[in-house]
Amino acid sequence: MTQQGAVLQGYNNELVKCIEDLCMQREELNKQIQQAEEEKNKLQHEIQVLSEQLECVCENLAQKVASRNELDKILAETEAAYMKILDSSRTLLNVLKKEVGSLKHSPDLKTN
């Protein structure tokens, strides 16, 4: 019977050691889970901050594009008006030259 008791004691010791090993593995896994959760929370915070920054940049960009489009429209209208002024100036100059030419050939303006 003592031999059976010794065998039983050996099984008990081995069982306790296995349970302790499992507890240590569980503690290590808990530490890893906690670290992973902290990293996840940190990354989620960074994503939130970056998303807010992206939203601001997109709004700013949209305003700048709208301003540029408005400036492009004003510039196109101004250039078109300027071309009309140039065309009118050329026409006026041609008319003026013809009038001056006619006046030079007019007998009233000829001097003796």
Side-chain angles (χ1 to χ4, degrees):
M1 216 44 195
T2 18
Q3 189 179 3
Q4 290 174 344
V7 171
L8 187 58
Q9 183 64 36
Y11 290 158
N12 186 47
N13 289 342
E14 196 173 329
L15 183 59
V16 168
K17 183 175 179 346
C18 285
I19 291 172
E20 287 174 351
D21 287 345
L22 288 174
C23 286
M24 286 177 27
Q25 287 178 4
R26 184 179 185 280
E27 285 179 33
E28 179 60 32
L29 192 55
N30 270 340
K31 286 179 186 178
Q32 291 174 2
I33 289 171
Q34 185 177 5
Q35 288 173 347
E37 286 176 346
E38 289 172 2
E39 181 70 15
K40 180 186 120 192
N41 291 336
K42 176 185 169 193
L43 291 173
Q44 284 179 328
H45 177 71
E46 289 176 10
I47 288 170
Q48 181 182 358
V49 169
L50 289 173
S51 294
E52 291 171 2
Q53 289 177 348
L54 178 61
E55 185 177 338
C56 288
V57 167
C58 287
E59 288 174 7
N60 190 310
L61 178 61
Q63 290 173 350
K64 288 181 180 185
V65 167
S67 294
R68 182 193 62 195
N69 291 343
E70 185 63 26
L71 288 174
D72 286 346
K73 179 182 170 188
I74 292 169
L75 183 59
E77 291 172 355
T78 303
E79 287 176 346
Y82 182 67
M83 293 306 291
K84 287 180 183 179
I85 291 170
L86 287 178
D87 190 43
S88 295
S89 295
R90 184 179 61 241
T91 302
L92 178 60
L93 180 60
N94 288 337
V95 168
L96 185 58
K97 284 180 180 179
K98 285 181 185 176
E99 291 295 323
V100 169
S102 315
L103 289 175
K104 285 184 181 179
H105 297 314
S106 172
D108 295 336
L109 290 179
K110 289 186 179 177
T111 55
N112 291 336

